[in-house]
Amino acid sequence: MEYRRFENTVIVRMDRNEDLFAELKKVALKENIKLASISALGTFSHMNVGVYDLDQRKFVGNDFDGMFEIVSLTGTINTMDGEYYCHLHTAAGDKNGNVYGGHLSAGTVGATLEMVITVIDGTVDRIKDPDTGLNIFKF
């Protein structure tokens, strides 16, 4: 992984077999990013995506292995209890044009991944919502 910062924008290149979440956390901690918007494209060789089951109060994900072209990857970096937190969603297509997506729980870079992190001046923490079990913005 390599990146360069331009004022409030960080441009990141992740490389084959890198863990998206581990590399993103490295950048955020090194650059002291407390609040940001994320967008990316590239490929996954492995991903876990799914939906939140409100009745079970947990994310139910599906593992996908192979080469998947990222159609969309969006999310946020912020904090929970003052510590690094990130929340990502993605949609990625296979060689047959089938697209799978939802809440991203795991992602291994396939060939490459290009990410733009837009740093926002400020902080927004998260708190566990007792009604849903989700970690929601705390203003």
Side-chain angles (χ1 to χ4, degrees), residues 20-21 24-25 27-29 33-40 59 72-80 83-90 102-104 115-120 122-127 135-139:
L20 166 70
F21 285 93
L24 179 57
K25 185 174 182 178
V27 172
L29 294 178
I33 298 172
K34 301 294 184 189
L35 184 61
S37 174
I38 297 168
S39 63
F59 284 97
S72 173
L73 190 153
T74 186
T76 56
I77 293 172
N78 62 305
T79 58
M80 184 159 178
E83 299 295 322
Y84 168 84
Y85 188 97
C86 108
H87 182 196
L88 301 175
H89 284 202
T90 196
H103 176 84
L104 183 64
M115 179 178 286
V116 176
I117 302 170
T118 304
V119 180
I120 301 165
T123 59
V124 175
D125 211 50
R126 287 185 181 261
I127 188 169
N135 300 327
I136 61 172
F137 287 151
K138 175 186 173 186
F139 294 103

Side-chain angles (χ1 to χ4, degrees), residues 22-93:
E23 298 304 314
L24 179 57
K25 185 174 182 178
K26 286 179 192 175
V27 172
L29 294 178
K30 187 171 182 181
E31 293 297 321
N32 196 32
I33 298 172
K34 301 294 184 189
L35 184 61
S37 174
I38 297 168
S39 63
L41 51 81
T43 60
F44 286 128
S45 60
H46 169 78
M47 64 179 181
N48 181 286
V49 293
V51 298
Y52 187 74
D53 185 317
L54 189 57
D55 293 332
Q56 294 184 48
R57 292 183 178 236
K58 69 176 187 175
F59 284 97
V60 179
N62 296 293
D63 286 304
F64 295 93
D65 292 296
M67 193 57 70
F68 293 88
E69 192 74 26
I70 299 167
V71 176
S72 173
L73 190 153
T74 186
T76 56
I77 293 172
N78 62 305
T79 58
M80 184 159 178
D81 299 323
E83 299 295 322
Y84 168 84
Y85 188 97
C86 108
H87 182 196
L88 301 175
H89 284 202
T90 196

